[in-house]
Amino acid sequence: MRMPKRRDRSLSHLAPSLSAHASSQVSDPDFDPVHGAILAPILRPRVPGTEGHTRVQEHFAAFVRTHLHPSWRIEWHNTTATTPATGKEPVPFRNLILRRDPPWRTAQVEGQGKEEGNVARLTLAAHYDSLYQPEGFIGAVDSAVPCALLLYVARAVDAALTRRWESRTEDDVGLEDEDELDKGVQILLLDGEEAWVEWTDTDSLYGSRALAETWANTAYKPGSRFSTPLEAISLFVLLDLLGAPEPTVPSYFPKTHWAYRGLGRVEARLRKLGLLETKPRAPFLGDTSKEAVQFRGYVLDDHIPFMRRGVDVLHIIPSPFPAVWHTMDDDAEHLDLPTIRDWARIMTGFVAEWMDLEGYLTEPGAEPESGQDEKDEL
Ligand SMILES: [Zn+2]
């Protein structure tokens, strides 16, 4: 893994686009936990195999059809497993994969199959199942809000991706590395993260274990840039336990500390520009100057089956966990909406930077994207 070659350029040019985008979204009602279009439908018990679980799946699919570009591919990865709480009857687990690749890689090339083995995908993940016990548990931060954030980000960058890819030729003349263009984005809404009785290697991560195994054993056509969908993951960004006030998210892995720092720079830039609502005692991402020797331990979560197979992981989970974690208080009332909206802005900025969307986030002519003060550059 490496940073995109155009990173320096995008860092200096992204701020104006982000400003225009972030300020236009300040009163965005998407995250209203009662009436909002994205989060509210997820805030219900959604134990695998129950009706609430099915309703949330329908919400995800309807959101994609209604709000995202038709080129997004929707794929369900279905599996079943027995759990220690439910006896011999297998429980259905369904991971939802939402994927958008550059248009020149999605066409079927005659006689050669699809070109999908040539796209490196920024992979954003969160789990949508909720705890089996206590009954009625909502799991607002765990992980309804992270799922909502990912849907929000997909919609926030969608039109810019279209514009970016349509202008490929004029923008990229002279670019040294064609591979830099073959970047896609995919969102994994994972199922069965929670343990049903007590966390063990087999009672947890039902969906992510199955998906990582399937992808490790799926071969792209010979001669592709990547040999499997697993290898095509450029970075696995896992969001969990977000939505409570004053989060502090450590950098967990030396190998991806560079990506953590990139995310921290987006937060710092948005704060400096006055585009975030919260005024926390410490930044959400405060570990940007961490030395390698200070990395200590990590949290077991959906990244594990991928990380074990060599995938680079950025884990966005606060430490300590929110006080409401795995209690009946993890509900809509205990969410902090300014914190959620700030996470939406930070993650949008990160994805926009990764996908080289500077200059494409607003409609042409809608907002000034040039001539802005560049002294704010970090
Ligand atoms: Zn949990």
Side-chain angles (χ1 to χ4, degrees):
M1 195 42 231
R2 62 218 152 110
M3 273 305 269
K5 287 208 176 88
R6 301 168 82 199
R7 185 173 69 90
D8 290 342
R9 190 186 129 192
S10 52
L11 270 177
S12 60
H13 286 253
L14 194 58
S17 347
L18 272 182
S19 313
H21 182 73
S23 52
S24 70
Q25 303 291 325
V26 165
S27 59
D28 197 326
D30 288 321
F31 295 107
D32 181 303
V34 181
H35 306 291
I38 301 186
L39 176 59
I42 315 175
L43 291 173
R44 59 186 301 160
R46 44 196 188 282
V47 176
T50 65
E51 198 203 330
H53 190 240
T54 307
R55 292 271 169 276
V56 171
Q57 292 167 349
E58 288 166 357
H59 164 57
F60 292 150
F63 181 88
V64 177
R65 284 194 305 269
T66 312
H67 296 288
L68 298 187
H69 192 274
S71 67
W72 280 86
R73 195 170 138 203
I74 305 181
E75 188 182 308
W76 291 98
H77 175 261
N78 300 322
T79 181
T80 60
T82 55
T83 83
T86 49
K88 285 184 179 159
E89 190 65 31
V91 175
F93 296 102
R94 304 186 79 200
N95 300 310
L96 178 58
I97 300 140
L98 308 174
R99 178 179 298 160
R100 191 170 182 197
D101 285 346
W104 56 88
R105 290 300 189 195
T106 50
Q108 183 90 23
V109 178
E110 206 176 330
Q112 295 175 42
K114 284 197 174 172
E115 293 281 299
E116 57 188 4
N118 291 319
V119 182
R121 299 188 187 94
L122 176 62
T123 301
L124 309 165
H127 78 88
Y128 73 90
D129 62 304
S130 64
L131 273 179
Y132 176 62
Q133 296 282 354
E135 200 174 326
F137 176 82
I138 297 292
V141 305
D142 184 15
S143 257
V145 167
C147 290
L149 287 168
L150 297 187
L151 295 179
Y152 175 94
V153 169
R155 194 190 57 187
V157 301
D158 209 21
L161 273 177
T162 306
R163 288 190 280 268
R164 172 78 180 87
W165 285 337
E166 278 172 357
S167 67
R168 177 195 184 196
T169 11
E170 55 184 278
D171 256 47
D172 302 312
V173 171
L175 202 69
E176 293 165 35
D177 188 352
E178 278 283 318
D179 282 355
E180 281 301 323
L181 289 170
D182 284 329
K183 288 190 289 195
V185 57
Q186 66 187 351
I187 288 171
L188 310 181
L189 297 166
L190 298 168
D191 200 1
E193 186 267 350
E194 302 284 9
W196 291 62
V197 175
E198 194 182 356
W199 189 283
T200 65
D201 285 352
T202 51
D203 185 19
S204 66
L205 310 181
Y206 292 89
S208 55
R209 280 188 286 126
L211 184 63
E213 188 180 348
T214 298
W215 278 4
N217 294 311
T218 303
Y220 286 137
K221 68 171 180 171
S224 297
R225 183 174 162 210
F226 302 107
S227 47
T228 68
L230 202 79
E231 199 184 281
I233 296 173
S234 49
L235 183 69
F236 187 98
V237 185
L238 178 64
L239 277 56
D240 204 355
L241 305 185
L242 302 180
E246 298 275 346
T248 52
V249 174
S251 179
Y252 292 98
F253 304 116
K255 198 177 174 206
T256 53
H257 187 56
W258 61 272
Y260 178 95
R261 292 187 65 191
L263 188 63
R265 274 195 302 268
V266 172
E267 181 193 7
R269 177 184 290 278
L270 290 172
R271 285 205 189 284
K272 200 170 173 186
L273 293 170
L275 295 172
L276 299 185
E277 290 175 67
T278 56
K279 302 272 182 283
R281 289 184 293 271
F284 294 180
L285 302 144
D287 268 357
T288 44
S289 60
K290 193 174 215 171
E291 301 288 330
V293 291
Q294 294 173 293
F295 292 92
R296 280 194 204 98
Y298 53 88
V299 181
L300 298 179
D301 207 342
D302 280 320
H303 59 300
I304 296 295
F306 292 85
M307 200 168 77
R308 280 194 183 135
R309 292 174 168 89
V311 174
D312 282 350
V313 169
L314 178 59
H315 197 192
I316 311 299
I317 187 170
S319 179
F321 288 176
V324 297
W325 177 68
H326 283 194
T327 73
M328 291 300 280
D329 282 343
D330 186 8
D331 58 12
E333 280 177 32
H334 291 82
L335 291 174
D336 188 64
L337 297 185
T339 298
I340 295 172
R341 291 191 290 258
D342 282 353
W343 277 122
R345 295 175 178 111
I346 294 166
M347 290 310 302
T348 300
F350 181 79
V351 175
E353 188 172 303
W354 189 284
M355 301 301 290
D356 295 328
L357 299 182
E358 72 278 14
Y360 295 94
L361 279 168
T362 49
E363 301 261 5
E367 299 279 349
E369 292 214 16
S370 59
Q372 303 229 352
D373 191 353
E374 299 248 329
K375 286 193 297 256
D376 283 320
E377 198 176 333
L378 292 170

